Amino acid sequence: MSSTKPNDNTGQSPRRNMITCRGVKKWFGDFQALKGVDLDVGEQEVVVVLGPSGSGKSTLIRCINRLEVHQEGIIEVDGVELTNDLRNIEKIRSEVGMVFQLFNLFPHLSVLDNITLGPIWVRKKARVEAEKTAMELLERVGIPEQAAKFPGQLSGGQQQRVAIARALAMEPKIMLFDEPTSALDPEMIAEVLDVMRDLARRGMTMVIVTHEMGFAREVADRLVFMESGEIVEVGTTEQFFSAPREERTKKFLSQIL
Amino acid sequence: MHQRPPIWRNVAVLKWLAQFAVLFTVLGLFWLLASEAQENLQRRGIPAGYNWLSGPANFQLGEGIQTVDSPERRLTMSRALWVGMVNTLRVAAIGIVLSTILGVFIGVSRLSKNFIANRFASAFVETMRNIPLLVQILFWFVILGSLAPLAADSGPIPGWLIVSQKGISIPRVFLADGFYQFVAMLVVFAVPLWFIRRTLKRRQDDLGGNQRVTSTTVAYLSVSTLVAWFLNPVMGFLGGVLDSVATAWNAIPAQIIRGLFGVLIIWFAGARIRSLLNSRRTPVGFAKLTDNDWFQMLFTAFAAGVAALVVVRFRPGITTWFVESVGNFWSFLGAKFGDGRGAQPIDAMLPTLTEGRFINISNTGLTMSVFFASLLFGLVFYTSSYIAEVVRGGILAVPRGQSEAALALGFTRGQMLRKVVLPQAFRVIMPPLGNQYLNITKNTSLGIAVGFSEIVQVGQTVYNKNSQTLAVFSIYIAFFLLCSLSISAVVNTINRRLAIVER
């Protein structure tokens, strides 16, 4: 399957494809969560996925690193197709960083150990080197002084920043964000969004599920609007907010803006 | 300067007074009951106290480290009770190990997606925990009792595995003459291993990749075990060394040790008081002490003073006993080494039969009597069903997000379990697991139902003979309290070590 299939209504840039989804379908029992999703994400592109709750946004990005298994269709990540091949799955997972709504830090490990666990055990890095990288990342997300603390001792915003650092420590090519600010107090949302903004500036390929419209407008290259398991509309940020094509998109935007 | 409340309204004072009042009331009640009972016993011509313990037992025990009285080895009452305690501890220890293994296995199977494993485990748990333990023990007793009588060709595998009315016997592996020399040699070999491991671990941290920490350790251990197996007589000289240690120890006058004990108790109390003072120190440098702190310090000092007086002045026997035991321990160890001793550290033996019974325990395979077996089986199957649920609950208590986060980092399933899920599950499992260990230990007393010679059964025989009910029960209580508190202490220490830092 060609990974650069042109798609006239996606407003897609001519960059190399990092993620390719073709006709992805997913059922939970009788309920169909994804009804044939087509999506391309290019290198260094930031794609924000919008939509009401239950529309399949989270399911889609969880399928991209196979935390959920899609039943039909094709997902390719960096040219590797996601199948039941264990080696492919672990390779893709170690190259795709994921940030969760509820942080999911390991509570029994210190902040530093949380960040170095993956590099040491998956990447087989030396501890000294992994810790050096971890400290640099903590510096970057602005909380180097918390390295020795445990997750339970940090605020929500700090925990989410550690979670981002943990994902970055694996040197991923793609970062997936599953509603990273939904569990945070308003004053903590800003500090997390700052870190993500910085990431986008450095050219990270990102897929973000969020409800932060201002942030989406500012950072996204393209916006994807999903409803009941389908992609309703894809467009550049400009066009999406000023001239949405679909009726359903207009309705959603009018409710939310 | 804040105003001190008057003493009858001071919470700290009232709290401590109330605690003392409760303590003294309870002790007083006990004393009252005990003296009342004592008086009644005396009226019936039964002497008070524990002097009967050194008298002859005049009865036989079903099984244990000593069962009969003989001229060279007297079976006193205290010895009989000790045999009972050893039997209890034996069942409890083996039961704890086996039910943990079985329980973990069943608990994990119950979580498995494999249909057969899952259903089998569920059926096991639901059956075992819904039948009273006593019924289960009696059930095993009836089943084992209905087996074929013991004969020369008893099977299933004659000479190797024997299952019969008289019990179950398998080949026994035991520590032979060279064992202590063997262990001593391994200890000597362990020192370089420690250095090698430290160097390798540092290299692992510095360089990454695979520096073969585990494989080197395994290789080193196998080689040193092999060497020690054949060369252990070299360590025979330790016998002489230990004997001279024993002589040197016995040369120390008991008064000095007694004095040291007194000093140690006072020093310990001092250290506690000092650490309390330190913990109350504020950054400004002033120790802010509450009334509660004062009470605690006074109480510690008072208790230490009493303890020191008891050890040094009123009960000099405690120290003498300690000195003698330690001396005996050194000579006991010394006797385990010797130049003329055989080199084999471990030996094995098959079950041997004479005249339709298993011969004496030291000359045969590992034999379980039906009494022991039925108690053990009952305890293991019953308790493992609870342990299975504890394990299952502990693993389920780790949120799904944890394993998802680990998988998202590219961990394999094995790494995810080892590094993320099990460390967290273990913290949840440990406290209720400790409870189950306590239950096994206490439930061994049901052995009385099948006539197994554990402490309660032996004690009953004792008080049926001499009517020393009160004294025997006080021994029961002290023994079980000691067991339970030891287990709790171990479990609590582990819990404290593992606790997750929350704030």
Side-chain angles (χ1 to χ4, degrees), chain A residues 62 93 105 124 127-128 152, chain B residues 205 209 402 404 408 419 502:
Chain A
R62 285 164 63 85
R93 278 177 179 162
L105 291 178
K124 308 285 181 206
R127 178 178 295 275
V128 178
Chain B
D205 288 352
Q402 290 290 313
E404 280 181 355
K419 297 284 161 199
E502 294 281 2

Side-chain angles (χ1 to χ4, degrees), chain B residues 5-246:
Chain B
I7 214 146
W8 60 91
R9 285 204 327 244
N10 186 333
V11 179
V13 177
L14 292 179
K15 205 178 84 185
W16 277 83
L17 279 183
Q19 289 186 25
F20 276 117
V22 170
L23 186 69
F24 283 120
T25 318
V26 171
L27 286 181
L29 268 174
F30 263 114
W31 184 78
L32 213 75
L33 286 171
S35 57
E36 180 77 8
Q38 210 66 268
E39 226 165 84
N40 287 340
L41 287 178
Q42 252 153 13
R43 214 172 299 142
R44 281 155 53 195
I46 300 159
Y50 293 88
N51 290 332
W52 53 270
L53 275 173
S54 49
N58 287 331
F59 62 86
Q60 283 192 13
L61 288 157
E63 61 188 285
I65 48 175
Q66 184 184 352
T67 52
V68 287
D69 189 42
S70 67
E72 46 295 354
R73 222 168 158 209
R74 311 307 313 202
L75 186 66
T76 58
M77 286 289 193
S78 58
R79 177 80 185 162
L81 287 170
W82 171 241
V83 174
M85 290 180 197
V86 172
N87 280 337
T88 296
L89 291 177
R90 214 179 249 173
V91 179
I94 298 175
I96 284 174
V97 173
L98 292 184
S99 53
T100 307
I101 296 171
L102 187 62
V104 169
F105 180 71
I106 299 279
V108 172
S109 307
R110 220 182 163 188
L111 285 174
S112 132
K113 291 193 180 87
N114 180 319
F115 181 79
I116 298 174
N118 180 321
R119 284 309 137 101
F120 174 78
S122 301
F124 177 89
V125 168
E126 292 310 335
T127 318
M128 290 305 165
R129 71 169 175 190
N130 285 314
I131 299 172
L133 178 54
L134 184 58
V135 175
Q136 292 196 36
I137 293 171
L138 291 172
F139 169 80
W140 287 110
F141 189 60
V142 171
I143 295 285
L144 292 171
S146 65
L147 290 171
L150 192 59
D153 59 345
S154 281
I157 312 169
W160 286 83
L161 171 63
I162 299 169
V163 179
S164 78
Q165 265 182 10
K166 291 279 181 209
I168 299 166
S169 194
I170 54 172
R172 183 167 67 115
V173 175
F174 59 92
L175 311 182
D177 285 344
F179 182 75
Y180 286 80
Q181 291 165 178
F182 174 70
V183 170
M185 201 156 193
L186 281 185
V187 170
V188 173
F189 282 140
V191 178
L193 177 64
W194 186 78
F195 282 105
I196 293 172
R197 275 182 64 91
R198 204 178 59 170
T199 319
L200 283 179
K201 273 188 190 156
R202 285 207 183 133
R203 279 216 349 225
Q204 177 79 53
D205 288 352
D206 289 343
L207 302 174
N210 183 2
Q211 299 297 331
R212 303 198 172 77
V213 184
T214 316
S215 52
T216 310
T217 309
V218 171
Y220 183 94
L221 278 181
S222 338
V223 172
S224 48
T225 309
L226 209 67
V227 172
W229 188 278
F230 292 109
L231 292 187
N232 68 66
V234 175
M235 305 304 282
F237 72 92
L238 278 176
V241 176
L242 287 165
D243 281 338
S244 35
V245 169

Side-chain angles (χ1 to χ4, degrees), chain A residues 62 65 67-68 90 93-94 96-98 100 103-109 114 117-118 121-122 124-129 150 152-153 166-167 170, chain B residues 202-210 400-413 415 418-421 423-424 427 500-503:
Chain A
R62 285 164 63 85
N65 69 353
L67 286 180
E68 305 287 355
E90 273 154 22
R93 278 177 179 162
S94 66
V96 178
M98 175 123 183
F100 300 88
F103 333 132
N104 294 349
L105 291 178
F106 307 132
H108 60 299
L109 298 177
N114 260 282
L117 197 68
W121 291 96
V122 178
K124 308 285 181 206
K125 266 204 200 172
R127 178 178 295 275
V128 178
E129 196 191 327
F150 284 81
Q153 296 170 301
R166 178 176 70 177
M170 296 295 291
Chain B
R202 285 207 183 133
R203 279 216 349 225
Q204 177 79 53
D205 288 352
D206 289 343
L207 302 174
N210 183 2
R400 237 175 73 118
Q402 290 290 313
S403 42
E404 280 181 355
L407 289 178
L409 284 171
F411 280 48
T412 62
R413 282 194 71 80
Q415 286 173 331
R418 257 205 340 270
K419 297 284 161 199
V420 176
V421 176
Q424 293 183 59
R427 289 166 164 85
I500 289 178
V501 185
E502 294 281 2
R503 61 190 93 255

Side-chain angles (χ1 to χ4, degrees), chain A residues 41-62:
Chain A
V41 179
E43 200 169 12
Q44 304 206 334
E45 195 181 21
V46 177
V47 172
V48 169
V49 185
L50 299 173
S53 51
S55 59
K57 316 179 294 279
S58 292
T59 310
L60 176 64
I61 70 166
R62 285 164 63 85

